[in-house]
Amino acid sequence: QRLEATGGAQRLDARVRLELRDWLRRLHEETQVTTLLVTHDQEEAMELAEHVVVMHEGRVAQAGTPLEIYDCPATPFVASFVGGANVLSGRIQAGRAEVGAFAVAAPDGAREGAAVSAYVRPHDVKLTKTDDDNRGVAVARIDRLFRVGGSVKVSLKLASGEPLTVVMPRAEIEALGVAEGDHVMVDLKEAKVFVEDYSI
């Protein structure tokens, strides 16, 4: 297997890493031996592990199944570290987390006026097109579209001026028929909201 030297560090060729990941999975299934894998590669951890432990500053930030870690981050660090996330700021207003022009669910008992941070992953944002007649209700403008294989990375500017990154399948973007400069409606229902150090 080939190693490449990059900036003095050794790294496995991407194709070899995928082959090694498949081999490790098969080995584990065949032997049924408990193994410990220490990695900085999130995709590798999520694909191979039955139980994941996320460390932050030498302490356990969260432990659980890959699905629990990914879908229910326990802390702002886990929400931003695992899978990457957009971070938007807001406040609790009338029992909801007001984040710019958006209102999303807030933790039970969150005090009125408390500062919140909403974390939403690029592929969890839903976009719908708005026509020119509805510019007043559009909440984001498309700044850039980056096509990479079967996916499109969309850079948005929210009405609040905050940037937001969305990743969508290329077919969905083509079906929407949007281009740079167009206005779109944004759905942030999947946002994870943290008030001080507590979360929903």
Side-chain angles (χ1 to χ4, degrees):
Q1 296 187 349
R2 183 163 64 92
L3 291 175
E4 289 183 0
T6 306
Q10 298 286 324
R11 72 174 179 85
L12 287 172
D13 174 87
R15 184 181 56 81
V16 174
R17 285 182 64 91
L18 292 176
E19 291 173 1
L20 179 60
R21 195 180 299 170
D22 288 340
W23 179 82
L24 283 170
R25 189 183 318 100
R26 284 194 310 274
L27 177 69
H28 186 263
E29 289 169 357
E30 290 168 8
T31 63
Q32 294 297 302
V33 173
T34 299
T35 55
L36 176 66
L37 172 67
V38 179
T39 182
H40 290 273
D41 185 329
Q42 295 176 24
E43 187 176 325
E44 187 172 74
M46 295 299 184
E47 184 176 334
L48 291 175
E50 293 176 3
H51 189 82
V52 174
V53 177
V54 179
M55 303 291 293
H56 181 226
E57 296 179 346
R59 296 178 186 225
V60 173
Q62 186 173 355
T65 66
L67 194 60
E68 290 168 345
I69 297 290
Y70 197 83
D71 288 345
C72 305
T75 68
F77 171 77
V78 176
S80 62
F81 180 72
V82 178
N86 296 284
V87 183
L88 303 170
S89 299
R91 295 212 169 271
I92 299 296
Q93 303 287 338
R96 304 272 293 160
E98 300 284 340
V99 183
F102 309 99
V104 295
D108 290 337
R111 65 180 173 76
E112 188 73 8
V116 299
S117 295
Y119 293 74
V120 61
R121 293 194 177 94
H123 62 272
D124 284 337
V125 179
K126 305 294 183 233
L127 300 182
T128 53
K129 189 174 180 182
T130 181
D131 58 37
D132 289 340
D133 294 335
N134 291 326
R135 281 185 181 268
V137 298
V139 295
R141 179 184 181 278
I142 298 175
D143 279 346
R144 294 286 309 271
L145 294 170
F146 304 92
R147 289 176 173 84
V148 182
S151 296
V152 178
K153 182 177 175 181
V154 185
S155 292
L156 300 172
K157 184 77 70 169
L158 299 176
S160 63
E162 291 180 284
L164 185 73
T165 300
V166 180
V167 175
M168 298 176 65
R170 188 172 176 176
E172 284 185 25
I173 283 288
E174 289 173 354
L176 279 178
V178 293
E180 291 177 2
D182 285 352
H183 290 77
V184 290
M185 301 296 291
V186 180
D187 179 347
L188 296 180
K189 286 181 191 162
E190 297 297 320
K192 310 299 185 218
V193 179
F194 294 88
V195 181
E196 290 154 9
D197 286 328
Y198 301 97
S199 68
I200 57 173

